[in-house]
Short mmCIF file of all heavy atoms in Angstrom, two decimals:
data_model
loop_
_atom_site.label_atom_id
_atom_site.label_comp_id
_atom_site.label_asym_id
_atom_site.label_seq_id
_atom_site.Cartn_x
_atom_site.Cartn_y
_atom_site.Cartn_z
N GLN G 37 125.27 -23.45 -44.26
CA GLN G 37 124.39 -23.53 -45.41
C GLN G 37 123.86 -22.15 -45.81
O GLN G 37 123.84 -21.78 -46.99
CB GLN G 37 123.23 -24.50 -45.10
CG GLN G 37 122.47 -24.98 -46.33
CD GLN G 37 123.40 -25.54 -47.40
OE1 GLN G 37 124.36 -26.26 -47.09
NE2 GLN G 37 123.16 -25.20 -48.67
N GLN G 38 123.42 -21.37 -44.84
CA GLN G 38 122.92 -20.02 -45.08
C GLN G 38 123.96 -19.15 -45.77
O GLN G 38 123.65 -18.43 -46.73
CB GLN G 38 122.53 -19.34 -43.75
CG GLN G 38 121.13 -19.68 -43.26
CD GLN G 38 120.04 -19.07 -44.13
OE1 GLN G 38 120.17 -17.95 -44.61
NE2 GLN G 38 118.97 -19.82 -44.35
N ILE G 39 125.20 -19.20 -45.26
CA ILE G 39 126.25 -18.35 -45.82
C ILE G 39 126.62 -18.83 -47.23
O ILE G 39 126.89 -18.02 -48.13
CB ILE G 39 127.48 -18.31 -44.88
CG1 ILE G 39 127.08 -17.62 -43.56
CG2 ILE G 39 128.66 -17.57 -45.53
CD1 ILE G 39 128.17 -17.56 -42.53
N LYS G 40 126.58 -20.15 -47.44
CA LYS G 40 126.83 -20.68 -48.79
C LYS G 40 125.78 -20.15 -49.76
O LYS G 40 126.10 -19.76 -50.88
CB LYS G 40 126.77 -22.22 -48.78
CG LYS G 40 128.10 -22.85 -48.41
CD LYS G 40 128.05 -24.38 -48.58
CE LYS G 40 129.41 -24.97 -48.23
NZ LYS G 40 129.34 -26.42 -48.03
N GLU G 41 124.52 -20.14 -49.33
CA GLU G 41 123.43 -19.76 -50.24
C GLU G 41 123.28 -18.26 -50.39
O GLU G 41 123.05 -17.76 -51.49
CB GLU G 41 122.10 -20.36 -49.75
CG GLU G 41 122.01 -21.87 -50.02
CD GLU G 41 120.76 -22.49 -49.42
OE1 GLU G 41 119.79 -21.74 -49.15
OE2 GLU G 41 120.76 -23.71 -49.20
N HIS G 42 123.38 -17.54 -49.27
CA HIS G 42 123.04 -16.11 -49.30
C HIS G 42 124.20 -15.19 -48.92
O HIS G 42 124.03 -13.97 -48.82
CB HIS G 42 121.87 -15.83 -48.34
CG HIS G 42 120.70 -16.73 -48.59
ND1 HIS G 42 119.89 -16.61 -49.69
CD2 HIS G 42 120.21 -17.79 -47.88
CE1 HIS G 42 118.95 -17.54 -49.65
NE2 HIS G 42 119.13 -18.28 -48.56
N GLY G 43 125.37 -15.76 -48.71
CA GLY G 43 126.48 -14.95 -48.23
C GLY G 43 126.32 -14.62 -46.76
O GLY G 43 125.29 -14.92 -46.15
N LEU G 44 127.36 -14.01 -46.19
CA LEU G 44 127.27 -13.55 -44.80
C LEU G 44 126.50 -12.24 -44.79
O LEU G 44 126.84 -11.30 -45.50
CB LEU G 44 128.68 -13.32 -44.23
CG LEU G 44 128.74 -12.72 -42.83
CD1 LEU G 44 128.24 -13.72 -41.78
CD2 LEU G 44 130.17 -12.27 -42.49
N GLN G 45 125.43 -12.19 -44.02
CA GLN G 45 124.63 -10.96 -43.96
C GLN G 45 124.92 -10.25 -42.65
O GLN G 45 124.67 -10.79 -41.56
CB GLN G 45 123.16 -11.32 -44.07
CG GLN G 45 122.92 -12.11 -45.37
CD GLN G 45 121.48 -12.16 -45.76
OE1 GLN G 45 120.62 -12.56 -44.99
NE2 GLN G 45 121.20 -11.74 -46.99
N ALA G 46 125.44 -9.06 -42.79
CA ALA G 46 125.86 -8.34 -41.58
C ALA G 46 125.22 -6.96 -41.54
O ALA G 46 125.10 -6.28 -42.56
CB ALA G 46 127.38 -8.19 -41.57
N ASN G 47 124.75 -6.61 -40.34
CA ASN G 47 124.47 -5.21 -40.09
C ASN G 47 125.76 -4.62 -39.53
O ASN G 47 126.11 -4.87 -38.38
CB ASN G 47 123.30 -5.06 -39.12
CG ASN G 47 122.92 -3.60 -38.93
OD1 ASN G 47 123.79 -2.76 -38.78
ND2 ASN G 47 121.63 -3.32 -38.96
N PHE G 48 126.45 -3.88 -40.39
CA PHE G 48 127.79 -3.43 -40.04
C PHE G 48 127.73 -1.93 -39.71
O PHE G 48 127.63 -1.10 -40.61
CB PHE G 48 128.72 -3.70 -41.24
CG PHE G 48 130.18 -3.52 -40.95
CD1 PHE G 48 130.83 -4.30 -40.01
CD2 PHE G 48 130.91 -2.55 -41.63
CE1 PHE G 48 132.18 -4.14 -39.75
CE2 PHE G 48 132.27 -2.37 -41.36
CZ PHE G 48 132.89 -3.17 -40.43
N ASN G 49 127.72 -1.63 -38.43
CA ASN G 49 127.55 -0.23 -37.97
C ASN G 49 126.32 0.43 -38.60
O ASN G 49 126.37 1.59 -39.03
CB ASN G 49 128.81 0.58 -38.26
CG ASN G 49 129.98 0.08 -37.45
OD1 ASN G 49 129.83 -0.29 -36.28
ND2 ASN G 49 131.16 0.04 -38.06
N GLY G 50 125.23 -0.33 -38.67
CA GLY G 50 123.97 0.24 -39.15
C GLY G 50 123.70 0.05 -40.63
O GLY G 50 122.60 0.33 -41.09
N LYS G 51 124.73 -0.40 -41.37
CA LYS G 51 124.57 -0.58 -42.81
C LYS G 51 124.43 -2.07 -43.12
O LYS G 51 125.19 -2.89 -42.58
CB LYS G 51 125.83 -0.03 -43.51
CG LYS G 51 125.61 0.48 -44.93
CD LYS G 51 126.90 1.09 -45.49
CE LYS G 51 127.42 0.29 -46.67
NZ LYS G 51 128.78 0.67 -47.08
N GLU G 52 123.47 -2.44 -43.96
CA GLU G 52 123.30 -3.86 -44.31
C GLU G 52 124.34 -4.24 -45.36
O GLU G 52 124.44 -3.63 -46.42
CB GLU G 52 121.89 -4.13 -44.86
CG GLU G 52 120.76 -3.86 -43.86
CD GLU G 52 120.82 -4.74 -42.62
OE1 GLU G 52 121.38 -5.86 -42.68
OE2 GLU G 52 120.32 -4.29 -41.56
N VAL G 53 125.09 -5.27 -45.06
CA VAL G 53 126.18 -5.72 -45.94
C VAL G 53 125.96 -7.20 -46.25
O VAL G 53 125.55 -7.96 -45.37
CB VAL G 53 127.54 -5.56 -45.22
CG1 VAL G 53 128.66 -6.18 -46.04
CG2 VAL G 53 127.81 -4.09 -44.93
N GLU G 54 126.21 -7.59 -47.50
CA GLU G 54 126.16 -9.01 -47.83
C GLU G 54 127.49 -9.38 -48.45
O GLU G 54 127.89 -8.79 -49.46
CB GLU G 54 125.01 -9.26 -48.82
CG GLU G 54 124.69 -10.74 -48.99
CD GLU G 54 123.58 -10.93 -50.01
OE1 GLU G 54 122.43 -10.53 -49.72
OE2 GLU G 54 123.87 -11.45 -51.10
N ALA G 55 128.21 -10.31 -47.83
CA ALA G 55 129.55 -10.66 -48.31
C ALA G 55 129.58 -12.11 -48.74
O ALA G 55 129.28 -13.01 -47.95
CB ALA G 55 130.59 -10.40 -47.22
N LYS G 56 129.96 -12.33 -50.01
CA LYS G 56 130.03 -13.70 -50.53
C LYS G 56 131.34 -14.34 -50.09
O LYS G 56 132.30 -14.43 -50.87
CB LYS G 56 129.93 -13.67 -52.07
CG LYS G 56 128.50 -13.48 -52.56
CD LYS G 56 127.75 -14.82 -52.48
CE LYS G 56 126.29 -14.68 -52.89
NZ LYS G 56 125.49 -15.83 -52.44
N LEU G 57 131.39 -14.76 -48.86
CA LEU G 57 132.61 -15.38 -48.34
C LEU G 57 132.52 -16.88 -48.47
O LEU G 57 131.50 -17.48 -48.14
CB LEU G 57 132.76 -15.02 -46.85
CG LEU G 57 133.18 -13.60 -46.52
CD1 LEU G 57 133.19 -13.40 -45.02
CD2 LEU G 57 134.58 -13.37 -47.07
N PRO G 58 133.58 -17.54 -48.93
CA PRO G 58 133.57 -19.01 -48.95
C PRO G 58 133.51 -19.54 -47.51
O PRO G 58 134.16 -19.00 -46.61
CB PRO G 58 134.87 -19.40 -49.63
CG PRO G 58 135.75 -18.20 -49.56
CD PRO G 58 134.84 -17.00 -49.46
N ILE G 59 132.72 -20.56 -47.31
CA ILE G 59 132.62 -21.18 -45.99
C ILE G 59 132.54 -22.67 -46.15
O ILE G 59 131.98 -23.18 -47.14
CB ILE G 59 131.41 -20.63 -45.20
CG1 ILE G 59 131.39 -21.20 -43.77
CG2 ILE G 59 130.09 -20.91 -45.92
CD1 ILE G 59 130.50 -20.44 -42.80
N VAL G 60 133.11 -23.39 -45.20
CA VAL G 60 133.12 -24.84 -45.28
C VAL G 60 132.87 -25.41 -43.88
O VAL G 60 133.26 -24.80 -42.88
CB VAL G 60 134.47 -25.34 -45.87
CG1 VAL G 60 135.63 -24.97 -44.98
CG2 VAL G 60 134.46 -26.82 -46.13
N LEU G 61 132.17 -26.53 -43.83
CA LEU G 61 131.99 -27.25 -42.57
C LEU G 61 133.35 -27.76 -42.09
O LEU G 61 134.12 -28.25 -42.91
CB LEU G 61 131.05 -28.45 -42.76
CG LEU G 61 129.58 -28.26 -42.43
CD1 LEU G 61 128.82 -29.55 -42.78
CD2 LEU G 61 129.37 -27.91 -40.97
N GLN G 62 133.60 -27.68 -40.81
CA GLN G 62 134.93 -28.07 -40.34
C GLN G 62 135.24 -29.54 -40.63
O GLN G 62 136.40 -29.91 -40.78
CB GLN G 62 135.09 -27.76 -38.85
CG GLN G 62 134.17 -28.54 -37.92
CD GLN G 62 134.24 -28.00 -36.51
OE1 GLN G 62 133.67 -26.94 -36.20
NE2 GLN G 62 134.96 -28.68 -35.63
N SER G 63 134.20 -30.35 -40.77
CA SER G 63 134.41 -31.77 -41.07
C SER G 63 134.71 -31.98 -42.56
O SER G 63 135.04 -33.09 -42.97
CB SER G 63 133.17 -32.57 -40.68
OG SER G 63 132.03 -32.03 -41.34
N GLU G 64 134.59 -30.92 -43.34
CA GLU G 64 134.79 -31.07 -44.79
C GLU G 64 135.93 -30.22 -45.33
O GLU G 64 135.96 -29.89 -46.52
CB GLU G 64 133.47 -30.72 -45.52
CG GLU G 64 132.37 -31.71 -45.19
CD GLU G 64 131.01 -31.32 -45.76
OE1 GLU G 64 130.91 -30.23 -46.36
OE2 GLU G 64 130.07 -32.11 -45.60
N VAL G 65 136.85 -29.86 -44.44
CA VAL G 65 138.03 -29.12 -44.90
C VAL G 65 138.83 -30.02 -45.84
O VAL G 65 139.07 -31.19 -45.52
CB VAL G 65 138.88 -28.67 -43.68
CG1 VAL G 65 140.24 -28.15 -44.13
CG2 VAL G 65 138.14 -27.60 -42.89
N GLU G 66 139.25 -29.50 -46.97
CA GLU G 66 139.93 -30.31 -47.99
C GLU G 66 141.45 -30.31 -47.75
O GLU G 66 142.03 -29.30 -47.34
CB GLU G 66 139.67 -29.73 -49.40
CG GLU G 66 138.21 -29.60 -49.76
CD GLU G 66 137.65 -30.89 -50.36
OE1 GLU G 66 138.44 -31.84 -50.58
OE2 GLU G 66 136.43 -30.92 -50.62
N LYS G 67 142.07 -31.45 -48.07
CA LYS G 67 143.52 -31.59 -47.90
C LYS G 67 144.28 -30.50 -48.67
O LYS G 67 145.29 -29.99 -48.23
CB LYS G 67 143.98 -32.96 -48.38
CG LYS G 67 143.85 -34.05 -47.35
CD LYS G 67 144.88 -35.16 -47.59
CE LYS G 67 144.89 -36.16 -46.44
NZ LYS G 67 143.59 -36.87 -46.29
N GLU G 68 143.75 -30.15 -49.88
CA GLU G 68 144.49 -29.21 -50.73
C GLU G 68 144.30 -27.74 -50.32
O GLU G 68 144.98 -26.87 -50.85
CB GLU G 68 144.15 -29.42 -52.21
CG GLU G 68 142.67 -29.41 -52.52
CD GLU G 68 142.06 -30.82 -52.38
OE1 GLU G 68 142.63 -31.67 -51.65
OE2 GLU G 68 141.01 -31.05 -52.98
N ASP G 69 143.36 -27.47 -49.40
CA ASP G 69 143.22 -26.09 -48.92
C ASP G 69 144.53 -25.66 -48.26
O ASP G 69 145.17 -26.44 -47.57
CB ASP G 69 142.07 -26.00 -47.88
CG ASP G 69 140.70 -25.97 -48.54
OD1 ASP G 69 140.61 -25.51 -49.70
OD2 ASP G 69 139.73 -26.42 -47.92
N GLN G 70 144.89 -24.42 -48.47
CA GLN G 70 146.15 -23.94 -47.90
C GLN G 70 145.97 -22.48 -47.49
O GLN G 70 145.42 -21.69 -48.27
CB GLN G 70 147.29 -24.08 -48.92
CG GLN G 70 148.64 -24.02 -48.28
CD GLN G 70 149.68 -24.81 -49.07
OE1 GLN G 70 149.35 -25.60 -49.96
NE2 GLN G 70 150.95 -24.59 -48.77
N VAL G 71 146.40 -22.12 -46.31
CA VAL G 71 146.28 -20.73 -45.86
C VAL G 71 147.57 -20.30 -45.17
O VAL G 71 148.37 -21.13 -44.73
CB VAL G 71 145.09 -20.56 -44.88
CG1 VAL G 71 143.77 -20.88 -45.55
CG2 VAL G 71 145.28 -21.38 -43.62
N ASP G 72 147.77 -18.99 -45.08
CA ASP G 72 148.95 -18.46 -44.39
C ASP G 72 148.71 -18.31 -42.90
O ASP G 72 149.62 -18.41 -42.09
CB ASP G 72 149.30 -17.07 -44.98
CG ASP G 72 149.45 -17.11 -46.48
OD1 ASP G 72 150.29 -17.90 -46.96
OD2 ASP G 72 148.70 -16.37 -47.16
#
Side-chain angles (χ1 to χ4, degrees):
Chain G
Q37 196 52 41
Q38 276 290 322
I39 295 178
K40 274 187 179 166
E41 285 174 21
H42 308 289
L44 175 69
Q45 303 197 306
N47 184 315
F48 190 63
N49 294 322
K51 208 176 115 191
E52 297 298 334
V53 173
E54 192 182 292
K56 281 281 177 197
L57 286 176
I59 185 163
V60 63
L61 265 176
Q62 64 189 76
S63 56
E64 295 173 356
V65 169
E66 303 273 355
K67 276 207 172 62
E68 52 272 22
D69 281 333
Q70 198 152 346
V71 297
D72 306 303

